[in-house]
Amino acid sequence: MFFHIVLERNMQLHPRHFGRNLRENLVAKLMKDVEGTCSGQHGFVVAITGIENIGKGLIRDGTGFVSFPVKYQCVVFRPFKGEILEAVVTMVNKMGFFAEAGPVQIFVSNHLIPDDMEFQSGDMPNYTTSDGSVKIQKDSEVRLKIIGTRVDATEIFCIGTIKDDFLGVINDPASV
Amino acid sequence: MSGEEEENAAELKIGDEFLKAKCLMNCEVSLILEHKFEQLQQMSDDPRNQVSQVFEKSLQYVKRFSRYKNPDAVKQVREILSRYQLTEFELCVLGNLCPETVEEAIAMVPSIKAKGRVHDDEAIDKMLNDLALIKKFE
């Protein structure tokens, strides 16, 4: 799920950036530093949408750098255990398939794919029901439930399932 | 954070910070990111170099999965759903997935039927109808 939240960060700025454009420099550096990063607590920082407040700077002993506490609003993407969302399938193999929902990767193991779907190898590996009516392959859109998350220093990785009511393929690229 | 271990969106256990935060539906994120992308486009010739991979992937994702494209419709969806005493998180899951039946809605957002909540099947059905109407007239 995407959220709009306020975060705070201490920004260190070199004295050469002081002057009329101090604020712009600070904001530009903030965007460069945090956009695209990921933390376990807040998820992926997608975009900064506004600055709430820039506090008083504090000179660092010995270096001349000044640190400013900056409060900013941003759009973050944070997946939760138990959340249901839609994702695009990126890779299919006999272990299961990988899907992507925005910046996050989700793996669905073949144990968590309904039992009536069989793996078919070939140019376009896929999972298909015995009657061929439902097919999961690269670029399919699926609705899945997140059942586990693993948080890395710079990435969040999820485990999902489609073995539940109202989950599974919502759009098959081959049929349109 | 001590609650991290037992996090479960189905029971709305998503941490205090996120429960109180403003959630965004995919269609709202799409409006925000496209606006930002346009701004960057005006500042430089090749905005693709300026944005992070996370931004680009998110933009592609929300464009693909936005149920409502028209900004007025997006506003209306939020307005209608906010009449039903939903939490921000529930509101956005419903707005994103647009379930068609009451059973589907409950499967997607089990917490709307949790004890102590006022929703009966009839109210949920009316809510889904309202949502479908917006989509129809968009």
Side-chain angles (χ1 to χ4, degrees):
Chain A
M1 177 71 65
F2 288 95
F3 293 86
H4 197 211
I5 58 173
V6 177
L7 293 178
E8 193 169 354
R9 186 182 171 90
N10 269 317
M11 295 294 302
Q12 299 233 13
L13 203 62
H14 192 276
R16 70 164 174 270
H17 298 300
F18 298 171
R20 264 195 312 191
N21 296 329
L22 191 145
R23 197 187 152 91
E24 280 91 275
N25 284 325
L26 205 57
V27 174
K29 187 169 189 304
L30 179 74
M31 289 193 172
K32 218 174 123 226
D33 283 3
V34 298
E35 281 188 354
T37 60
C38 170
S39 78
Q41 197 185 354
H42 297 113
F44 295 88
V45 179
V46 179
I48 292 175
T49 54
I51 304 294
E52 288 241 309
N53 172 38
I54 298 180
K56 283 216 169 79
L58 200 71
I59 302 176
R60 294 255 153 230
D61 275 354
T63 63
F65 273 86
V66 171
S67 73
F68 295 90
V70 183
K71 271 194 178 166
Y72 57 97
Q73 302 160 335
C74 56
V75 176
V76 297
F77 183 84
R78 168 76 152 89
F80 286 98
K81 218 164 139 178
E83 183 182 343
I84 293 170
L85 45 73
E86 291 161 334
V88 183
V89 175
T90 52
M91 192 175 73
V92 180
N93 61 33
K94 68 177 195 304
M95 312 289 288
F97 66 83
F98 286 90
E100 244 175 31
V104 74
Q105 279 237 348
I106 302 155
F107 177 69
V108 179
S109 141
N110 58 11
H111 299 291
L112 297 170
I113 295 172
D115 295 329
D116 63 337
M117 296 192 90
E118 285 282 331
F119 178 69
Q120 320 274 334
S121 54
D123 293 351
M124 209 48 170
N126 61 72
Y127 282 88
T128 314
T129 51
S130 50
D131 61 354
S133 61
V134 184
K135 197 184 228 176
I136 295 173
Q137 60 187 30
K138 191 173 184 291
D139 273 333
S140 293
E141 292 175 3
V142 292
R143 186 192 273 175
L144 49 83
K145 180 154 100 186
I146 296 173
I147 54 168
T149 55
R150 196 194 70 208
V151 178
D152 223 292
T154 56
E155 208 169 14
I156 298 179
F157 188 80
C158 296
I159 303 290
T161 177
I162 55 168
K163 215 177 183 177
D164 213 337
D165 294 347
F166 301 105
L167 301 180
V169 180
I170 44 178
N171 174 18
D172 180 1
S175 65
V176 282
Chain B
M1 220 164 74
S2 59
E4 191 110 48
E5 292 304 313
E6 43 185 322
E7 157 188 312
N8 184 357
E11 296 165 22
L12 280 182
K13 288 186 187 149
I14 56 173
D16 238 13
E17 190 179 1
F18 283 105
L19 203 53
K20 284 183 201 139
K22 191 172 165 64
C23 288
L24 297 168
M25 288 182 280
N26 289 344
C27 44
E28 295 171 312
V29 177
S30 169
L31 294 177
I32 295 173
L33 295 189
E34 288 214 40
H35 177 73
K36 179 145 178 154
F37 194 71
E38 271 166 32
Q39 277 183 334
L40 287 170
Q41 228 159 6
Q42 285 165 2
M43 289 199 295
S44 75
D45 299 330
D46 190 9
R48 297 220 168 262
N49 286 335
Q50 299 265 322
V51 300
S52 63
Q53 211 196 0
V54 171
F55 184 97
E56 209 177 305
K57 282 194 167 172
S58 302
L59 182 59
Q60 272 173 18
Y61 174 72
V62 293
K63 268 190 183 165
R64 187 162 182 169
F65 290 104
S66 280
R67 298 291 175 147
Y68 309 92
K69 308 275 184 241
N70 175 340
D72 290 329
V74 175
K75 224 183 274 174
Q76 245 180 333
V77 171
R78 185 171 274 279
E79 197 191 299
I80 286 186
L81 285 175
S82 59
R83 289 182 205 152
Y84 291 88
Q85 289 106 34
L86 299 164
T87 62
E88 283 273 329
F89 189 82
E90 292 167 335
L91 188 153
C92 291
V93 172
L94 289 172
N96 280 346
L97 301 175
C98 289
E100 280 162 16
T101 61
V102 176
E103 294 86 60
E104 190 182 358
I106 295 168
M108 297 301 106
V109 194
S111 52
I112 50 174
K113 275 297 245 188
K115 59 175 190 280
R117 306 292 295 273
V118 285
H119 301 102
D120 51 13
D121 288 1
E122 223 168 278
I124 297 172
D125 193 42
K126 180 163 186 308
M127 173 171 77
L128 299 180
N129 273 332
D130 289 351
L131 270 187
L133 267 183
I134 303 179
K135 182 78 198 150
K136 209 161 159 191
F137 289 109
E138 187 184 20

